[in-house]
Amino acid sequence: MRVIYKLGTAVRCWRVHINVQHSVLSAYLLYFIIYTDSKLREDLSSLQKSYIYIKPSWGYNNSWRQIGSKEKHLIYSAYFDDRLDVIETINDHKTKVPIGTLRIIAILPREFKEAITCTIRFEDFVDKSVPIGKVQPLNEHHDYKYAAYSIMCPLYVNRNSTTIHLPQSVAISYPSNRLSQLSPTFVPINYPRDIDQLFARSRPLVSVCVGPLQQNYSDVLRVAEFVEMYRILGTRHFYFYHLSASDEVMRLLRYYQSEGIIDVLQWNVPAELLSQVHYAGIMAQINDCVYRAMVVDNYRYAATVDLDEILIPLKHNSLAFFLRQCDEGRTSAYVFRNVFFFKLDSNDSFSLPAHTHNRFLYTQMKVRRTLEVMPTHQRSKCIVNTQSIIEMGNHFVWRSVPGYTETTVPLSVGLLFHYRDQCINCKAPLMVDYTARRFGSLIWDRVDETCGQVFTESGICVT
């Protein structure tokens, strides 16, 4: 028995020894693979930047276009993304070099199962087909029949090239849609406004992505307050997506557009599709906007919010100062937790200046908010580092570039002030919060000045 016991012990020890050796070997192998891949991407990135690039002529504005013969299959936009770390597997790097990817925003059936081919067109009308296989819908489709898609087509060039002619447009095709193959629906590829910014370091500026204006949106005063408040908070630019809005709202947006403050993008989702895709295709809009801010304008930051949401810094004078002091470079998103202010709650006009023409601003008249702060990812909103985003959600980041992580903003540092027309829980306990009034000396005057410039006859932005 003793001999058998010792033999058994010896066998067990040997197995442990082998397992340890195996674990060490696996660790070394994993490290070698990661190191080799990292070194390869670093070398390819240097080669990528060594080429001379010729950008084609292109149009900035986009609109939804039907793909082939399928009325509810739509394509909206495409972006040249120079980030090589979004490519999961790099192929044929000894003969070909990846110079980036094309990111395509589309709407397709949620259960779409077909293999897709990208058709890339150059300015001389030469086409190149790139099979990319099956694709997955963006998250948060809420089980609607149709969903938003963010489709990636890799771009490779011959390694010994010197001058690269960048493609002008791109289309997608698939077997069941024969017309998509015979007569592809091309959309222009978006590039930086300035070609010199193609591989430049992102500018540390904050932009704002606004959810689609729909159902003939008509609250002009809220739009003016929203824009002026975020400008006070240090944001540089706004992206509005227009499905339907009143003439007065469009008049205000055209004024801001003439001042170079906002871009207004057409969001012409067909009426028959609106009931079959979540919230007018908002997931496509959010992801389009983040890529637009990153690629076209080279903004490092984008806040993804709705018109009734203000991201409020509590320890900094502006969002720009907050990011300047807190961003260490590897954060994909700063998540602001949500508190509600309700329209049905009583107004507090104590600080209302006597000379003010536009006499109802949510941020100044509503001073009681919910005591409960909602958990992270429940109605929260974000400021994202655009360079880190692969797939953006409504309330948080779904996929980011490896090495980036999401950060929840501490309650003492910032909150999302959500000014709801309808209360979620009308009996929820409330507390007084005057934080937004610290901007009152500016916001009242700025809104009055803007409304006076746009509506010269009355000086009033209607609600």
Side-chain angles (χ1 to χ4, degrees), residues 127-233:
D127 292 349
K128 178 182 178 182
S129 294
V130 180
I132 59 171
K134 294 182 179 180
V135 294
Q136 295 293 325
L138 293 174
N139 290 284
E140 299 183 49
H141 46 67
H142 295 264
D143 295 331
Y144 279 80
K145 184 176 180 180
Y146 291 86
Y149 284 76
S150 178
I151 300 167
M152 186 185 75
C153 299
L155 281 180
Y156 285 82
V157 298
N158 291 328
R159 179 179 271 272
N160 58 358
S161 300
T162 55
T163 300
I164 307 298
H165 288 265
L166 293 168
Q168 184 178 52
S169 55
V170 65
I172 59 174
S173 61
Y174 38 96
S176 70
N177 191 346
R178 183 66 174 161
L179 192 59
S180 71
Q181 300 171 320
L182 297 175
S183 181
T185 303
F186 285 95
V187 293
I189 299 168
N190 289 295
Y191 292 97
R193 295 182 199 265
D194 180 0
I195 190 61
D196 293 334
Q197 295 291 309
L198 189 60
F199 299 107
R201 183 178 177 84
S202 60
R203 297 186 292 167
L205 303 173
V206 187
S207 58
V208 179
C209 295
V210 188
L213 294 175
Q214 54 185 306
Q215 298 178 342
N216 200 36
Y217 190 86
S218 59
D219 195 336
V220 187
L221 184 56
R222 173 167 270 182
V223 176
E225 180 182 8
F226 175 90
V227 172
E228 296 305 331
M229 179 60 81
Y230 272 107
R231 292 181 70 193
I232 292 170
L233 291 171

Side-chain angles (χ1 to χ4, degrees), residues 16-287:
V16 170
H17 180 64
I18 292 298
N19 286 339
V20 169
Q21 285 186 326
H22 179 72
S23 298
V24 172
L25 183 62
S26 297
Y28 274 119
L29 183 60
L30 180 62
Y31 173 79
F32 176 77
I33 292 172
I34 293 173
Y35 173 79
T36 303
D37 184 71
S38 177
K39 187 68 169 64
L40 171 63
R41 290 175 188 272
E42 185 179 327
D43 292 344
L44 291 176
S45 180
S46 298
L47 191 56
Q48 172 199 41
K49 295 176 177 61
S50 70
Y51 297 126
I52 298 171
Y53 291 90
I54 299 176
K55 187 178 76 171
S57 58
W58 61 286
Y60 177 74
N61 287 316
N62 292 99
S63 63
W64 286 107
R65 305 182 188 186
Q66 179 178 320
I67 301 172
S69 59
K70 306 288 188 178
E71 292 183 358
K72 297 179 183 178
H73 296 205
L74 307 173
I75 186 170
Y76 185 74
S77 59
Y79 296 90
F80 176 76
D81 184 354
D82 62 25
R83 300 173 300 172
L84 299 186
D85 41 9
V86 304
I87 305 175
E88 293 182 1
T89 304
I90 295 177
N91 301 315
D92 302 326
H93 60 83
K94 292 184 179 180
T95 57
K96 296 181 180 180
V97 175
I99 59 169
T101 63
L102 299 180
R103 180 66 61 168
I104 300 168
I105 304 297
I107 290 177
L108 295 167
R110 178 170 56 87
E111 299 295 336
F112 189 84
K113 302 297 183 184
E114 298 186 62
I116 281 182
T117 296
C118 290
T119 302
I120 300 168
R121 174 163 289 180
F122 294 83
E123 204 160 22
D124 58 2
F125 288 94
V126 171
D127 292 349
K128 178 182 178 182
S129 294
V130 180
I132 59 171
K134 294 182 179 180
V135 294
Q136 295 293 325
L138 293 174
N139 290 284
E140 299 183 49
H141 46 67
H142 295 264
D143 295 331
Y144 279 80
K145 184 176 180 180
Y146 291 86
Y149 284 76
S150 178
I151 300 167
M152 186 185 75
C153 299
L155 281 180
Y156 285 82
V157 298
N158 291 328
R159 179 179 271 272
N160 58 358
S161 300
T162 55
T163 300
I164 307 298
H165 288 265
L166 293 168
Q168 184 178 52
S169 55
V170 65
I172 59 174
S173 61
Y174 38 96
S176 70
N177 191 346
R178 183 66 174 161
L179 192 59
S180 71
Q181 300 171 320
L182 297 175
S183 181
T185 303
F186 285 95
V187 293
I189 299 168
N190 289 295
Y191 292 97
R193 295 182 199 265
D194 180 0
I195 190 61
D196 293 334
Q197 295 291 309
L198 189 60
F199 299 107
R201 183 178 177 84
S202 60
R203 297 186 292 167
L205 303 173
V206 187
S207 58
V208 179
C209 295
V210 188
L213 294 175
Q214 54 185 306
Q215 298 178 342
N216 200 36
Y217 190 86
S218 59
D219 195 336
V220 187
L221 184 56
R222 173 167 270 182
V223 176
E225 180 182 8
F226 175 90
V227 172
E228 296 305 331
M229 179 60 81
Y230 272 107
R231 292 181 70 193
I232 292 170
L233 291 171
T235 62
R236 177 63 64 92
H237 199 76
F238 299 79
Y239 302 96
F240 279 81
Y241 290 74
H242 170 239
L243 179 58
S244 64
S246 69
D247 291 340
E248 291 79 10
V249 166
M250 294 309 298
R251 185 172 168 182
L252 176 64
L253 294 183
R254 284 192 292 270
Y255 166 77
Y256 279 131
Q257 196 169 19
S258 69
E259 296 291 309
I261 296 168
I262 74 171
D263 287 323
V264 180
L265 291 309
Q266 187 178 3
W267 197 248
N268 56 319
V269 179
E272 60 273 14
L273 187 59
L274 289 176
S275 62
Q276 296 180 291
V277 64
H278 175 56
Y279 201 72
I282 190 171
M283 296 312 300
Q285 176 266 319
I286 290 172
N287 282 273

Side-chain angles (χ1 to χ4, degrees), residues 240-425:
F240 279 81
Y241 290 74
H242 170 239
L243 179 58
S244 64
S246 69
D247 291 340
E248 291 79 10
V249 166
M250 294 309 298
R251 185 172 168 182
L252 176 64
L253 294 183
R254 284 192 292 270
Y255 166 77
Y256 279 131
Q257 196 169 19
S258 69
E259 296 291 309
I261 296 168
I262 74 171
D263 287 323
V264 180
L265 291 309
Q266 187 178 3
W267 197 248
N268 56 319
V269 179
E272 60 273 14
L273 187 59
L274 289 176
S275 62
Q276 296 180 291
V277 64
H278 175 56
Y279 201 72
I282 190 171
M283 296 312 300
Q285 176 266 319
I286 290 172
N287 282 273
D288 177 86
C289 189
V290 170
Y291 277 94
R292 189 174 297 271
M294 175 183 69
V295 173
V296 176
D297 293 309
N298 200 27
Y299 293 136
R300 185 173 305 166
Y301 304 109
T304 56
V305 292
D306 292 323
L307 282 170
D308 57 358
E309 297 171 334
I310 307 292
L311 302 172
I312 296 289
L314 303 179
K315 289 191 173 180
H316 302 82
N317 290 331
S318 72
L319 295 170
F321 287 151
F322 160 71
L323 292 165
R324 192 176 305 163
Q325 292 188 5
C326 298
D327 187 10
E328 297 179 352
R330 303 305 292 180
T331 299
S332 61
Y334 292 92
V335 183
F336 288 70
R337 292 171 62 184
N338 178 88
V339 293
F340 288 113
F341 295 76
F342 297 128
K343 184 177 182 179
L344 294 177
D345 191 31
S346 58
N347 296 330
D348 185 330
S349 57
F350 179 78
S351 67
L352 177 64
H355 65 274
T356 299
H357 296 292
N358 294 274
R359 301 179 67 80
F360 179 79
L361 300 183
Y362 278 88
T363 59
Q364 306 306 304
M365 300 291 277
K366 300 299 180 183
V367 298
R368 296 203 308 162
R369 54 110 166 153
T370 50
L371 180 62
E372 178 190 9
V373 181
M374 299 195 74
T376 304
H377 297 172
Q378 291 188 24
R379 295 187 176 272
S380 54
K381 288 299 173 73
C382 308
I383 299 176
V384 302
N385 181 336
T386 60
Q387 292 288 329
S388 75
I389 301 302
I390 297 176
E391 179 185 342
M392 186 61 204
N394 199 1
H395 305 290
F396 55 90
V397 177
W398 280 102
R399 290 180 62 209
S400 59
V401 171
Y404 286 86
T405 56
E406 186 184 84
T407 296
T408 298
V409 178
L411 300 183
S412 62
V413 177
L415 286 170
L416 167 63
F417 282 14
H418 194 162
Y419 296 90
R420 287 276 303 190
D421 286 343
Q422 303 294 328
C423 54
I424 300 298
N425 178 6

Side-chain angles (χ1 to χ4, degrees), residues 426-439:
C426 295
K427 295 182 179 180
L430 305 178
M431 62 172 284
V432 174
D433 190 332
Y434 293 117
T435 303
R437 279 196 172 168
R438 80 183 204 255
F439 305 108

